[in-house]
Each structure stands twice: as C-alpha cells, then as structure tokens.
Amino acid sequence: RAYHVGRAQPLSRGVSGAYRRLADSVKSNASISMISLGGSVTMGTCCYMPPTACPVASYKFWESVGGVMSPPAGSCPRSPAAGRQYKYCSYVGRFARFVRAEHGNPRFNDENRAAGGTTTESVLPQLAHLVLQTKHAAAQWNKIQGEGAKSSAGAAADLVVVDFSVNDAALSTAADPERSFALAEALIRHLLTRHPSTALLLIDAQCVVPRTAVQDAHRRAAEAYGVPYVSPRGSSEEWA
C-alpha cells in the first residue's frame, strides 16, 4: 500500500498483483529492474553527498564516476560525469541502494532515465520505449549478475517510478488541472494496459503547502486507477 496524507490508499487488483510479484522477487533475490522517469528532481540534478554520508564502497564508486563531495560555490556542473553523479545521488538511486542493503538483494538494477525540463506531456510520445530495458543495459546487467539473471532487451521493467510533479506544476499544464489529469491518466492507462505485470509508482516530490491543483490532478488520476501515489507534502500538511 502507498500512503498519502497518512491514509492507506487502496490499490486495484491488477496493481496489487504486480506489487505482490515484485515483493516476491525482492525476497527471493531474483533479478529486478527499476526504471525512473521524471525531470531534474528525479534525475538528482545538483545533488551532492558529503563523505560522511557515503559507505566506503559508495565513496569509491562516487570517485570512479567523477563525483565530487561538495559543489563549488554557486556552481552546478553539466557534464556526463556530473550526470552520473547526480543520478547516483538522486532519491531513486538511494532507494535502490536501500533495497539492496535492506533485503540483501544485489540483483536490484536501477536505470534513471529522468531528464531535466521534461513533463508528463513531453514524455508520452516516448513512453512505449522508455519503460523497456535496452539491449546494452540488459546485456551489462546479465554479465554482472551471471547465471540466473533474467533481464532482456525489450522487456518492461519490474518497477516504474514516475515523478514529473515539479515541471508539471511549473510548465505546460499548470493553468489547466483537467488537462493535467488527462495526461496523468493517459500515462497510467498506457502502462497498466501494455505492461500489467509492471509495478507502477507515482511520486509527487514537490513539497508545496498547500497543494497545487496540478498535484491534486495527479493524485486523483492515481486513485482512480488504484495506483500508489506517494507525496511527502501530505505528511508536511499533517505535521504543520
């Protein structure tokens, strides 16, 4: 179950089944793939981790991708190395590492396909391809995991995380909540129809109090289809 404003959110039968399969895979140490879609917040742009927040292994990886522990004053680098660093530092990257550590499952493969400035509207034409594992990613993952790995090119991810909340509220659909609802609905319907075995999670990372009409539209669309919707803003409202 997902929680919004402190209340349990009922899931549809199909979505519940997808999450049961995902939970079973986590517990059995099966290979799992997660793909994240969203804007710069989901990508982790300008995200930095101090050395004290990094285990030794993480710190070595951080250095290997050209990461730095703190940004130069007033600087936010734009480079392939910085992009890898940001995605490693992002909240979805941290979530993947938490699952690996908490459940002792090293076969949790996360691909962060978020890109700065993108919205629900702009991603829809690419959605059919973005949720599929690429040939390169699948081959690399199977090589790392060895015998028993199940990732394959063209297969949908086991878990898809979506968070366009900040850009949707700031850009194309901010003045039209019903259009925001229709776009979120189109994304949800596509994924539930084309990939019923994929667990879908909608996140609203924008911590604005009170909530915006666009955020309400995302929540309504998720609840209408029994899809988990997670918002830290809900907790902020309860605690205020």
Side-chain angles (χ1 to χ4, degrees):
R1 295 189 175 191
Y3 288 82
H4 171 68
V5 197
R7 298 192 300 271
Q9 176 188 331
L11 306 182
S12 70
R13 179 177 298 179
V15 171
S16 294
Y19 272 92
R20 280 195 296 271
R21 287 187 290 273
L22 179 64
D24 289 343
S25 295
V26 171
K27 293 175 183 177
S28 64
N29 282 337
S31 296
I32 301 168
S33 61
M34 176 180 79
I35 289 176
S36 304
L37 306 177
S40 57
V41 171
T42 313
M43 180 181 173
T45 300
C46 298
C47 180
Y48 293 87
M49 296 169 66
T52 54
C54 299
V56 174
S58 297
Y59 183 80
K60 289 181 177 177
F61 174 82
W62 194 257
E63 288 182 318
S64 74
V65 297
V68 294
M69 291 300 104
S70 60
S75 173
C76 186
R78 296 290 196 275
S79 68
R84 292 191 294 272
Q85 168 186 331
Y86 297 151
K87 290 181 178 182
Y88 182 79
C89 182
S90 69
Y91 73 80
V92 287
R94 298 181 193 215
F95 169 70
R97 294 195 295 281
F98 168 80
V99 172
R100 295 186 195 108
E102 185 73 11
H103 297 279
N105 186 345
R107 293 184 158 190
F108 194 98
N109 177 38
D110 62 299
E111 289 185 60
N112 191 330
R113 297 184 180 173
T118 54
T119 64
T120 300
E121 184 171 14
S122 68
V123 83
L124 286 177
Q126 312 166 63
L127 191 58
H129 304 286
L130 284 174
V131 298
L132 302 181
Q133 299 177 70
T134 63
K135 182 177 181 180
H136 173 73
Q140 288 295 105
W141 182 242
N142 291 337
K143 181 179 179 180
I144 293 170
Q145 297 303 325
E147 187 177 355
K150 68 180 180 68
S151 294
S152 58
D158 299 297
L159 171 64
V160 172
V161 177
V162 178
D163 180 8
F164 292 100
S165 57
V166 173
N167 290 343
D168 280 358
L171 300 175
S172 60
T173 60
D176 190 348
E178 291 311 307
R179 181 170 175 79
S180 293
F181 177 90
L183 292 168
E185 181 182 39
L187 182 146
I188 291 169
R189 285 178 62 90
H190 174 91
L191 293 177
L192 294 185
T193 302
R194 298 287 185 90
H195 308 292
S197 296
T198 294
L200 174 60
L201 174 62
L202 267 61
I203 296 180
D204 183 347
Q206 187 176 27
C207 300
V208 175
V209 180
R211 70 176 64 93
T212 67
V214 172
Q215 292 165 325
D216 266 340
H218 290 171
R219 174 186 55 79
R220 288 189 291 112
E223 291 180 349
Y225 288 88
V227 170
Y229 171 87
V230 176
S231 171
R233 184 198 59 252
S235 299
S236 300
E237 289 172 335
E238 281 203 324
W239 297 338

